[in-house]
Amino acid sequence: MTGPTPDAPVACPTGELPRSTGVVVVGAGITGASIAHHLALRGIPVSVVEQAPEPGAGATGRSGGMVRGYDPDPAVGELAMPSLAVYRDPALWASGQAPLRAAGAITVTDPADEPALIEAADRVNHGQVPSAYVVTGREEIMGVRLDGGAALVEPDAGWVPPLEITRDWLGQAATNGASLHFGVRVLGVEGRGGRPVVRTTAGDIRAEAVVAATGLWTARPPKGMRPSSPVRSRSIQISIVRREPPAAAHATFIDLRTGVYARPVDANHSLIGMPHLVWDSPFDSACDPGHARATAQAVGIHLPWAAGAEQVSVVRAADGYGEHSGILTPTRVPRVWSVRGWNGGGVKTAPEAGRRIADTLFARAFTHGT
Ligand SMILES: Cc1cc2nc3c(=O)[nH]c(=O)nc-3n(C[C@H](O)[C@H](O)[C@H](O)COP(=O)(O)OP(=O)(O)OC[C@H]3O[C@@H](n4cnc5c(N)ncnc54)[C@H](O)[C@@H]3O)c2cc1C
């Protein structure tokens, strides 16, 4: 729906659960897949347990996949910049192809924020071929109208196909020894003899450590997995609209003043979105037609053709939102951690977040024996 049909081989066996393992990763979305990949690369025995019959059944499978180096939240920007480099590097993917579609990424803000944008461009350019720059006083750039705003332009950013990435990482993890279990739900976790035991619909697994990468489901976690910093689910709704000539091609963009965003899907379609502030929204809530209409009007300020464009489909899902800026949150059970809510931006952070989480688990559960 939001990207090309994934052609990477799907690794989704549902083999028998091991009785014990190094790390249990709960959830096979993009975050869990990245963590599992990095743990397996370090030679740690890892078992991924996913309630759905296939990977990416949560926010990941419905995501827009927009990626850029800059984020107004410094904690997210710190993860997004190195993540972009991973998405750009073909050598890191089993497919042999870099997933990044470099359509360009434009972040629009109030002109008063120009000095902060210039600093951000310097950070984004640091250590790379400098390509990011700031524009003010322009009406339009890369097919996107700026509506009086200043813009940080990252020509080498754009979007990625999240499902394809998730499958690639899980495939690499399996090649490096990880066991993957689909259609198995985690019911709870408890500490026994200083180690966590994960109770699932297919039996118990004893582990050295457990990490819940359960996205919006972290809001209502299984027993023993409640993070010390709460996560709530919030609705996200996007539309796919038809882009017909003479509508020009355009870069991806987000306007931080309104939260409105868009990206190209293919030569004739674009994805458009605007914050949908419905909290505690279940994953499969019905689409909101009023919000879809309001989104098209709001995006029309930047892409004038979008206001009257045919809506091909509307996709509603949700993501986990929280205020915690660290990556991992402890739970009440020792050696059991929960991944932070990604506040609607977990694709742009997943490569570096997974790497750091794997490092943290390795240090806390396999180096000091705590
Ligand atoms: C419509 C939409 C558009 C988006 N656009 C962008 C974008 O442009 N750029 C961007 O960076 N981000 C975007 N996001 C956000 C991004 O997609 C998410 O932050 C990211 O996919 C979260 O990944 P995750 O792996 O943490 O969670 P999820 O993908 O939700 O995965 C969690 C997994 O845990 C499993 N699970 C939950 N509970 C259990 C249990 N008890 N036992 C076993 N398994 C369990 C679920 O089945 C699920 O597969 C968008 C999100 C949506 C919904």
Side-chain angles (χ1 to χ4, degrees):
M1 178 77 64
T2 56
T5 310
D7 53 9
V10 189
C12 46
T14 312
E16 212 170 285
L17 280 188
R19 294 175 66 133
S20 68
T21 189
V23 178
V24 171
V25 177
V26 187
I30 197 165
T31 310
S34 179
I35 298 168
H37 165 52
H38 285 286
L39 286 168
L41 270 182
R42 284 159 183 69
I44 296 174
V46 52
S47 298
V48 178
V49 181
E50 165 59 52
Q51 64 189 0
E54 55 192 14
T60 298
R62 300 189 186 180
S63 180
M66 285 167 48
V67 293
R68 55 191 180 273
Y70 172 64
D71 194 278
D73 176 346
V76 173
E78 202 184 297
L79 298 171
M81 279 186 270
S83 293
L84 196 51
V86 171
Y87 286 141
R88 211 178 262 142
D89 185 349
L92 298 174
W93 302 92
S95 65
Q97 291 179 343
L100 180 66
R101 275 61 162 174
I106 294 170
T107 306
V108 186
T109 66
D110 192 288
D113 297 334
E114 188 189 357
L117 280 193
I118 291 171
E119 269 180 43
D122 283 348
R123 279 198 306 277
V124 170
N125 284 333
H126 185 72
Q128 320 187 27
V129 181
S131 60
Y133 59 97
V134 175
V135 293
T136 46
R138 292 253 319 236
E139 195 177 318
E140 180 181 315
I141 187 146
M142 296 178 87
V144 179
R145 291 202 180 172
L146 300 183
D147 187 33
L152 172 61
V153 183
E154 298 179 59
D156 298 335
W159 61 276
V160 296
L163 197 51
E164 208 173 298
I165 288 163
T166 302
R167 290 172 191 224
D168 192 300
W169 277 332
L170 289 172
Q172 292 191 60
T175 302
N176 290 318
S179 68
L180 312 179
H181 308 277
F182 292 88
V184 179
R185 192 153 67 87
V186 168
L187 303 170
V189 60
E190 55 195 58
R192 278 189 221 150
R195 293 288 179 272
V197 173
V198 182
R199 288 188 304 102
T200 82
T201 48
D204 292 355
I205 320 177
R206 190 176 166 79
E208 293 297 318
V210 177
V211 60
T214 43
L216 67 121
W217 285 271
T218 311
R220 291 169 187 245
K223 196 162 173 253
M225 293 169 66
R226 183 168 298 285
S228 59
S229 177
V231 166
R232 286 175 77 185
S233 75
R234 199 176 99 182
S235 176
I236 304 180
Q237 180 173 290
I238 55 176
S239 305
I240 307 295
V241 296
R242 201 175 295 284
R243 191 177 76 244
E244 285 175 23
H250 61 89
T252 69
F253 78 85
I254 180 161
D255 186 335
L256 297 179
R257 298 169 298 179
T258 56
V260 163
Y261 55 92
R263 78 148 165 91
V265 172
D266 57 30
N268 303 107
H269 299 90
S270 295
L271 175 160
I272 62 172
M274 178 170 84
H276 192 218
L277 301 175
V278 182
W279 287 93
D280 306 318
S281 174
F283 184 63
D284 278 318
S285 300
C287 293
D288 176 346
H291 185 70
R293 284 191 295 275
T295 300
Q297 290 303 318
V299 173
I301 291 171
H302 300 280
L303 306 174
W305 54 267
E310 180 196 342
Q311 304 234 355
V312 177
S313 60
V314 179
V315 177
R316 182 166 173 191
D319 197 17
Y321 282 72
E323 289 181 3
H324 187 58
S325 62
I327 307 181
L328 282 179
T329 325
T331 68
R332 271 207 241 145
V333 181
R335 291 171 168 263
V336 178
W337 289 274
S338 185
V339 176
R340 61 162 285 176
W342 291 113
N343 299 352
V347 173
K348 62 176 180 283
T349 52
E352 179 66 3
R355 190 187 70 78
R356 291 190 188 190
I357 290 169
D359 279 349
T360 303
L361 292 171
F362 183 69
R364 295 199 193 163
F366 294 90
T367 312
H368 307 301
T370 53

